[in-house]
Amino acid sequence: MDERGLNPDGTIAREGSLARVAEPFRPVVAAARERIGEVFGGSRLHSAYLYGSIPRGTAVPGISDLDLQLALHHEPTPKDRADSRALESALDTAFPQIDGAGVLLDSRRALLAEHVRYDAGFFLACLCTPLLGPDLAAGLPRYRPTSLLARETNGDLARTIPRWRAEAAGARTDAERRALSRRVARRLVRTAFTLVMPRWGGWTSDLAASAEIFGRYYPRRAAQVRRAAVIGRQPCADPAALRFLIEEQAPWLAAEYAAVHGVPAPR
């Protein structure tokens, strides 16, 4: 991988690996592997993956969360979702070095579907690190930092804003507002980065680097995205922070994104 996150042939390199997991998080990953096998083993699980800061080697004890993607042989059922929530809670309770755990559940078929080839497929092939089972990335293409990839990964931002507004209006506790501010801020920074990704010609998931790269192309908006990157790393319960993200930053970014890259077809 070069300094722009690319393989020698110009395709986007897989950004994480189990070898990069820092020492404090190795017991967490080992327990996740064991418990996933216990809960979803047998005929349910096809494969499991890590993503986020832990496999990238940038996680901070007590601050970073554990992110998991499970690929099932079948469409997720209510029992599967209940089991995944129990798994999240058990891991979060057992390990103080993580601030929460999240499990994404999808069927193998859904992750490999043609219409999400440049969205879920890209996520799996480049942003996820294999943890258990056969790697689904073997059946996916090699990806390049193109406008097509930008449109399919983050071009639906405008459709997401109404949901964020509803969640912000319904948030009643500081914990709910912090969780929402973190999720919204991270999505906005990554959307800002993919807006300029084809011009920069590479890939990064680092929030600070994403904000810095965006600022080279949109200097008048650089301070906003840097502020969002800070919130993404240090979530804020202040309702004003959510208003800044959802009402000030998101609408402009959605409009600019649509003008530059277009929007994906509804799925």
Side-chain angles (χ1 to χ4, degrees), residues 115-227:
H115 68 278
V116 294
R117 184 59 51 93
Y118 284 84
D119 184 6
F122 167 73
F123 170 72
L124 194 70
C126 295
L127 309 187
C128 288
T129 297
L131 183 64
L132 273 173
D135 185 6
L136 285 174
L140 293 166
R142 304 298 290 263
Y143 296 89
R144 297 178 183 273
T146 62
S147 182
L148 169 63
L149 182 62
R151 183 183 74 235
E152 295 301 307
T153 53
N154 287 301
D156 63 343
L157 179 61
R159 301 172 193 159
T160 308
I161 295 173
R163 185 176 76 244
W164 286 344
R165 285 174 173 151
E167 291 183 56
R172 294 291 179 263
T173 67
D174 283 352
E176 290 173 340
R177 284 186 284 270
R178 278 195 295 269
L180 182 59
S181 73
R182 179 181 190 175
R183 178 157 47 88
V184 172
R186 290 184 175 193
R187 170 69 189 274
L188 291 179
V189 174
R190 286 166 181 156
T191 300
F193 166 70
T194 52
L195 173 64
V196 303
M197 172 189 65
R199 282 188 276 176
W200 184 63
W203 179 268
T204 181
S205 288
D206 182 87
L207 293 179
S210 295
E212 190 274 329
I213 293 164
F214 168 83
R216 299 177 195 175
Y217 301 92
Y218 290 89
R220 293 184 179 179
R221 293 276 175 173
Q224 282 189 332
V225 177
R226 284 197 297 269
R227 182 181 173 191

